[in-house]
């Protein structure tokens, strides 16, 4: 089966080349194929895209950019962003930090590792936050912390629910202690929103780890996760080095967390909008309109 | 003379540096240890109970660095499991009920990283402590005694006032971890320690640390009882001050203490 696939790839690839530059070796261009990091199976990129970036073999839900996530989650044209012009400073003077941020801002069309704002989902209005692992593994520094805090404060003031799609390598070490303090700052805002009766839904996506798991990501009233994603506190390699034995493959997977009691439900991408809008409805939030569009 | 982060790192690694086992009897009276999280077990990495200081009942929650290998094995080198953080939260809620100030003594390389810790929700345990301490309706004072390592320290450091012993360090990750992850070279530990800005003086500038408690020349191990006295003097003063503030103001101040930390610009 795999051989067939490679043959087809080769044919397609060759078809795009002119007769004069015949390819000798069966070189596979990477951007034509997706190789699943969980089960190692390989599929065509266009099929992978069509399946909303999920693996047909093991159902791993791969990482999305904030724009891709927004597009499959929010009603069409409903998103109004917050704090798009916030720029991180360099608290400990980490070499080249500003430069790195600038190039990532340009590459990802966003000011830091999270997009926040309001949108509607099947007509239900909600504050939304989407972390983007393309931006420094969506680590949390000053800007991520401030944007999340403001999003919760806005939701508290306007009696809105909050939905966060979490993904992160953890605290942004390049910002030193300031990054650690963002865990306290965001969690404080979550707590105030919660004490005011607000609903907070966490959707854990690949990978949700470190200081983000140890703060706002774990504080949802309802915690959903996408299939097969990585969720944990400590890094797998750190644990492996500590215990000096190999860890089971499903360790720190969404399924592992469901079984240990730390996730309410695993929800597939294709059913996420329905699941989220249903939860909003169950908490008596009112529909803004019945004429929403999607896609 | 101001010492560098590396010099301070050497001082806090001094084998004879006093630990909570030295400080608790020297600072508090009537210490009564209370065990267990009422959910899973009892974590010896966290020692907690009720005591008095200057006649006032307080709840004490402390991370236990061992003074030797045997003690360290028992207290897991001061790296708590989730049940340790849940024990801390149980005691903090109890303190809230009985209107006792909470004193957290922080001294940990970090929360334990292991299979069981993950299974029992290390991330959730820390997150919950952070959120619950933020609105705990009683004064909370945290003192970093040696190492304040990452989220494992923060879980006991959401407080009205954070004090640090003069040579204590508090950081998002150990300098070794920082060097290993960002530079793929753990040997650059010292360079990382200097860059990271992790001394008490640095943390005062960031608005993280509110008070530096003096140590004897050369470090706390040169005179443990004098160090204990300095901690005690600070705690008595701070408790007196914080218990006079009405609870709504106290909680608003606590929220703002963390709310304002962050360095960014907006055009
Ligand atoms: Zn797969």
């Amino acid at each position: 089966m795999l051989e067939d696939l490679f043959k087809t790839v080769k044919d397609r690839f060759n078809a795009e080349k002119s007769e004069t530059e015949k390819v000798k070796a069966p070189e596979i261009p990477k951007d034509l194929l997706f190789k699943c990091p969980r089960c190692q199976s390989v599929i065509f990129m266009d099929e992978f895209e069509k399946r909303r970036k999920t693996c047909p073999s093991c159902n791993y839900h791969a990482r999305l950019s904030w724009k891709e996530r927004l597009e499959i989650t929010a009603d069409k044209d409903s998103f109004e962003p917050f704090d798009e012009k916030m720029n991180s400073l360099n608290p400990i003077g980490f070499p080249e930090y500003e430069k790195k941020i600038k190039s990532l801002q340009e590459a990802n069309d966003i000011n830091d590792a999270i997009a926040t704002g309001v949108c509607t989902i099947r007509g239900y209005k909600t504050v939304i936050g989407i972390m983007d692992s393309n931006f420094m593994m969506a680590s949390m520094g000053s800007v991520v912390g401030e944007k999340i805090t403001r999003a919760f404060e806005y939701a508290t003031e306007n009696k809105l629910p909050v939905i966060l799609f979490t993904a992160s390598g953890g605290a942004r070490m390049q910002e030193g202690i300031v990054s650690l303090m963002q865990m306290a700052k965001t969690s404080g805002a979550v707590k105030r929103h919660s004490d005011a009766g607000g609903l907070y839904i966490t959707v854990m996506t690949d990978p949700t780890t470190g200081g983000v798991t140890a703060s706002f990501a774990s504080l949802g009233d309802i915690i959903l996760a996408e299939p097969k994603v990585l969720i944990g506190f400590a890094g797998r390699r750190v644990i492996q080095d500590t215990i000096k034995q190999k860890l089971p493959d499903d360790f720190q997977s969404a399924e592992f967390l469901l079984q240990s009691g730390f996730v309410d439900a695993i929800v597939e991408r294709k059913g996420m909008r329905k699941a989220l809008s249903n939860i909003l409805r169950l908490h008596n939030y009112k529909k803004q309109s019945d004429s929403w569009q999607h896609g | 003379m101001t010492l560098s982060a590396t010099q301070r790192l050497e001082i806090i690694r001094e084998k004879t540096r006093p630990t909570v086992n030295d400080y608790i009897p020297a600072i508090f009276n009537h210490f009564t240890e209370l065990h267990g999280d009422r959910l899973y077990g009892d974590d010896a990495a966290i020692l907690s109970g009720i005591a008095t200081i200057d006649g006032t009942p307080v709840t004490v929650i402390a991370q236990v660095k061992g003074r030797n290998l045997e003690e360290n094995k028992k207290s897991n080198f001061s790296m708590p499991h989730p049940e340790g953080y849940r024990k801390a939260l149980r005691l903090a809620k109890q303190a809230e009920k009985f209107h006792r100030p909470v004193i957290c003594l922080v001294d940990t390389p970090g929360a334990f990283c292991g299979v069981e810790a993950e299974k029992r929700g290390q991330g959730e345990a820390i997150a919950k402590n952070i959120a619950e301490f933020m609105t705990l309706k009683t004064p909370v004072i945290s003192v970093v005694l040696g190492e304040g390592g990452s989220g494992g320290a923060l879980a006991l450091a959401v407080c009205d006032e954070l004090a640090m012993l003069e040579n204590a360090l508090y950081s998002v990750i150990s300098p070794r971890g920082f060097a290993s992850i960002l530079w793929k070279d753990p040997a650059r530990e010292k360079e990382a320690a200097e860059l990271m800005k992790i001394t008490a003086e640095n943390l005062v500038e960031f608005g993280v640390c509110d008070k530096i408690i003096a140590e004897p020349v050369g470090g706390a191990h040169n005179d443990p009882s004098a160090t204990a006295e300095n901690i005690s003097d600070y705690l008595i003063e701070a408790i007196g001050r914080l218990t006079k503030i009405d609870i709504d103001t106290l909680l608003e101040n606590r929220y703002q203490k963390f709310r304002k930390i962050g360095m960014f610009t907006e055009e």
Side-chain angles (χ1 to χ4, degrees):
Chain A
M1 188 199 140
L2 198 65
E3 277 169 17
D4 290 349
L5 192 62
F6 276 105
K7 190 181 173 304
T8 330
V9 172
K10 205 176 127 191
D11 291 348
R12 280 199 202 183
F13 185 60
N14 285 343
E16 285 161 18
K17 299 266 175 183
S18 72
E19 282 298 308
T20 48
E21 43 167 335
K22 270 272 186 305
V23 179
K24 283 164 264 160
E27 228 174 70
I28 317 292
K30 282 203 183 79
D31 55 355
L32 261 183
L33 290 173
F34 173 76
K35 187 177 175 200
C36 176
R38 293 286 178 278
C39 71
Q40 319 301 325
S41 62
V42 175
I43 61 163
F44 283 119
M45 197 51 97
D46 52 2
E47 279 171 37
F48 175 64
E49 303 263 358
K50 221 176 284 164
R51 299 178 47 89
R52 299 181 173 190
K53 300 200 168 174
T54 61
C55 173
S57 306
C58 75
N59 203 25
Y60 164 64
H61 280 44
R63 297 168 188 181
L64 298 180
S65 72
W66 72 272
K67 281 186 179 170
E68 289 170 323
R69 177 73 65 183
L70 184 66
E71 197 186 309
I72 65 167
T73 306
D75 296 339
K76 201 175 174 207
D77 300 327
S78 71
F79 181 64
E80 295 164 33
F82 295 157
D83 308 313
E84 287 177 292
K85 297 213 164 135
M86 203 183 283
N87 283 296
S88 185
L89 292 170
N90 191 355
I92 64 167
F94 190 82
E96 313 260 302
Y97 184 55
E98 290 101 332
K99 211 169 123 188
K100 174 100 184 157
I101 294 274
K102 203 164 184 354
S103 78
L104 285 166
Q105 285 176 334
E106 280 160 16
N108 297 292
D109 195 18
I110 189 166
N111 60 339
D112 212 293
I114 189 168
T116 53
V118 285
C119 72
T120 60
I121 298 174
R122 293 177 145 213
Y124 291 96
K125 189 172 182 184
T126 182
V127 168
I128 189 169
I130 301 171
M131 302 184 86
D132 191 331
S133 61
N134 297 306
F135 200 108
M136 234 180 255
M137 202 30 89
S139 55
M140 172 160 64
S142 296
V143 173
V144 171
E146 183 71 19
K147 283 179 87 169
I148 290 173
T149 302
R150 286 190 192 177
F152 274 94
E153 288 173 342
Y154 179 90
T156 306
E157 206 165 299
N158 293 281
K159 299 194 177 351
L160 287 169
V162 178
I163 297 173
L164 288 191
F165 288 85
T166 62
S168 184
R172 187 171 294 170
M173 288 170 284
Q174 292 90 338
E175 291 193 24
I177 196 77
V178 171
S179 70
L180 188 72
M181 293 302 122
Q182 304 310 304
M183 291 168 64
K185 175 164 146 177
T186 53
S187 300
V190 173
K191 183 66 164 51
R192 285 193 163 188
H193 179 254
S194 179
D195 288 351
L199 168 70
Y200 166 32
I201 307 171
T202 307
V203 185
M204 293 185 169
T205 73
D206 199 56
T208 297
T209 63
V212 164
T213 300
S215 62
F216 63 86
S218 293
L219 295 172
D221 296 294
I222 293 180
I223 300 180
L224 308 179
E226 289 193 314
K228 296 286 159 85
V229 302
L230 174 78
I231 305 166
F233 172 66
R236 198 184 165 88
R237 206 178 314 151
V238 176
I239 297 171
Q240 215 147 249
D241 290 350
T242 311
I243 63 167
K244 308 213 185 318
Q245 58 189 11
K246 206 180 170 300
L247 293 161
D249 282 345
D250 73 338
F251 183 65
Q252 295 184 321
S253 65
E255 293 72 14
F256 173 88
L257 267 90
L258 183 76
Q259 207 176 18
S260 342
F262 292 98
V263 158
D264 286 284
I266 294 175
V267 177
E268 293 196 354
R269 204 161 273 174
K270 62 173 188 255
M272 191 60 80
R273 270 170 58 81
K274 194 174 169 192
L276 291 173
S277 59
N278 186 45
I279 295 168
L280 296 177
R281 193 181 72 88
L282 290 169
H283 289 80
N284 296 321
Y285 288 104
K286 297 277 170 287
K287 248 186 196 188
Q288 301 278 302
S289 95
D290 282 315
S291 62
W292 49 266
Q293 271 192 307
H294 185 234
Chain B
M1 192 192 70
T2 303
L3 301 180
S4 69
T6 316
Q7 286 168 314
R8 296 191 194 281
L9 194 62
E10 275 161 26
I11 291 173
I12 65 172
R13 281 175 179 171
E14 185 65 47
K15 283 208 166 36
T16 53
R17 186 168 176 84
T19 70
V20 293
N21 286 314
D22 305 296
Y23 288 132
I24 289 179
I27 297 171
F28 302 98
N29 287 310
H30 314 104
F31 180 71
T32 306
E33 187 177 1
L34 301 174
H35 291 271
D37 68 349
R38 299 280 200 276
L39 293 163
Y40 176 82
D42 185 44
D43 186 348
I46 289 184
L47 170 67
S48 55
I50 312 168
T52 59
I53 178 166
D54 198 30
T56 306
V58 294
T59 288
V60 181
I61 302 171
Q63 288 169 326
V64 187
K65 276 254 168 88
R67 289 166 295 197
N68 50 52
L69 188 63
E70 198 186 326
E71 281 186 8
N72 264 324
K73 274 186 177 161
K74 197 171 152 235
S75 69
N76 197 31
F77 294 85
S78 199
M79 293 184 285
H81 278 75
E83 51 272 25
Y85 292 113
R86 291 180 183 130
K87 171 165 76 171
L89 183 57
R90 179 176 80 83
L91 276 267
K93 290 298 222 183
Q94 190 188 65
E96 180 182 52
K97 176 175 172 183
F98 295 105
H99 309 288
R100 283 192 291 266
V102 177
I103 313 297
C104 295
L105 303 176
V106 177
D107 197 1
T108 179
F112 187 66
C113 297
V115 177
E116 291 299 309
E118 294 290 318
K119 211 175 246 175
R120 297 200 287 276
Q122 188 70 286
E124 192 272 348
I126 294 170
K128 195 158 186 193
N129 275 25
I130 295 171
E132 292 294 331
F133 270 87
M134 193 64 88
T135 54
L136 199 74
K137 293 189 186 68
T138 193
V140 182
I141 301 163
S142 298
V143 183
V144 186
L145 300 174
E147 241 182 314
S150 196
L154 182 63
L156 296 185
V158 173
C159 53
D160 301 303
E161 268 190 30
L162 184 100
M164 290 174 73
L165 281 184
E166 191 182 332
N167 292 308
L169 304 172
Y170 184 16
S171 59
V172 63
I173 184 170
S174 69
R176 196 178 169 79
F178 186 93
S180 141
I181 292 173
L182 292 178
W183 300 326
K184 315 274 173 247
D185 184 4
R188 288 168 73 184
E189 180 184 27
K190 287 184 177 178
E191 193 186 334
E194 298 308 327
L195 175 67
M196 289 170 75
K197 300 199 167 65
I198 56 179
T199 66
E201 281 167 338
N202 294 144
L203 298 194
V204 167
E205 280 169 40
F206 284 124
V208 173
C209 174
D210 303 293
K211 165 82 186 176
I212 300 175
I213 301 173
E215 289 184 33
V217 175
H221 59 283
N222 286 339
D223 195 342
S225 65
T227 314
E229 204 172 305
N230 291 348
I231 300 172
S232 177
D233 288 348
Y234 163 69
L235 287 175
I236 292 166
E237 181 275 322
I239 291 166
R241 187 160 35 78
L242 294 171
T243 46
K244 283 195 194 76
I245 302 171
D246 77 274
I247 203 73
D248 290 342
T249 308
L250 190 78
L251 293 185
E252 179 61 22
N253 291 347
R254 192 186 302 163
Y255 184 82
Q256 292 303 335
K257 171 177 163 60
F258 295 94
R259 176 71 188 83
K260 64 175 193 265
I261 300 174
M263 293 177 75
F264 55 88
T265 56
E266 288 176 277
E267 287 163 74

